[in-house]
């Protein structure tokens, strides 16, 4: 459901402090790395956040949010 996905994305934006101008890049990066972030249906929220952090570390524009 799009509304649920939007809500989840909004939660991540707030948690990671992602500014409006970087959200499109963040969304594209999450989409490109979906299989790595959600390797199976039993993945935990903590594992998802760790994977998101790993993906963000590799991106020059988004790694600043992890500093």
């Amino acid at each position: 459901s799009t509304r649920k996905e939007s809500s989840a994305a909004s939660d991540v934006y707030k948690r990671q402090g992602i500014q409006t101008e970087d959200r499109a890049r963040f969304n594209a990066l999450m989409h490109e790395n979906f299989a790595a972030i959600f390797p199976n249906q039993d993945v935990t929220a903590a594992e998802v956040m760790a994977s998101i952090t790993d993906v963000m570390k590799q991106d020059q524009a988004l790694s600043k949010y992890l500093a």
Side-chain angles (χ1 to χ4, degrees), residues 19-40:
Q19 299 300 310
T20 305
E21 64 270 17
D22 289 322
R23 291 180 182 178
R25 181 165 184 84
F26 176 84
N27 289 340
L29 198 63
M30 294 305 108
H31 184 74
E32 290 167 18
N33 291 280
F34 186 84
I37 296 168
F38 296 96
N40 61 64

Side-chain angles (χ1 to χ4, degrees), residues 1-48:
S1 77
T2 305
R3 182 171 292 154
K4 188 175 183 181
E5 290 169 12
S6 296
S7 176
S10 180
D11 290 346
V12 174
Y13 298 152
K14 290 176 190 166
R15 186 175 296 157
Q16 299 296 104
I18 297 170
Q19 299 300 310
T20 305
E21 64 270 17
D22 289 322
R23 291 180 182 178
R25 181 165 184 84
F26 176 84
N27 289 340
L29 198 63
M30 294 305 108
H31 184 74
E32 290 167 18
N33 291 280
F34 186 84
I37 296 168
F38 296 96
N40 61 64
Q41 63 186 18
D42 299 322
V43 68
T44 67
E47 290 169 331
V48 169

Side-chain angles (χ1 to χ4, degrees), residues 16 52-58 62-67:
Q16 299 296 104
I52 289 172
T53 298
D54 289 343
V55 169
M56 288 176 67
K57 282 180 188 172
Q58 306 301 315
L62 297 176
S63 61
K64 66 186 176 190
Y65 294 107
L66 304 173

